[in-house]
Amino acid sequence: MILESRMKLPDSYSLRTLLMVQFLAVAVLAGIVATVMMVVWRLPMAQKQVQTEQARVASMVLQQLEVLLDTTETLTTSIGQMIASETSAASRDTATALIAHISGSADLFESLYVLDQHAKVIAIGSSTRSGLQIGDWIGNDFSGLPVVQAVRRSRGLTWSEQFQSPVLGVPVVAVALPAGENIVLAEVSVRRLVDF
């Protein structure tokens, strides 16, 4: 009888071990199947959703940026047409006051300049530097700016590459256009474009 109980003990122990091994094998196999399904099916679907959302957001930002730049062009063109139509000294004074007012209240421009036929500053306004000594900049020569040289060659609206504003000392892009014998130059801060 003692011998029989000793023989049954290993059988029940091996059956218990076998059941535990089978249970663990099923759990591991289920984990492997779930992991494979996640990697093969769900992960690419999630990546595609993220890429689609990023493309949609990029498209919206691009559209908004285009609207901002188009508005900048339109406002600059309007200012240029007004200045081109003003011929008397009193009218130029009015235009200068308008430039100071527009650039001081516009969210689009950092600075707005009117340059004479020699590319010297005859009017200036800035939205960021209320304490800017405008008189110090009147008469400064901006003919060395690539955008001024480009607008002289093209005789049409011209956008610049990024450069350092000579007045504000910050990175800007500029739009320039002829206004009769003068040139209107509007600077837009790169920081403002990035923030936008």
Side-chain angles (χ1 to χ4, degrees), residues 142-155:
F142 280 17
S143 62
L145 292 177
V147 69
V148 172
Q149 296 169 356
V151 78
R152 283 179 158 176
R153 282 191 304 272
S154 70
R155 296 301 300 159

Side-chain angles (χ1 to χ4, degrees), residues 6-23:
R6 282 186 184 170
M7 293 187 89
K8 286 184 181 181
L9 186 62
D11 286 339
S12 67
Y13 180 73
S14 64
L15 182 60
R16 184 181 311 151
T17 304
L18 179 65
L19 288 174
M20 286 175 59
V21 167
Q22 285 179 349
F23 177 75

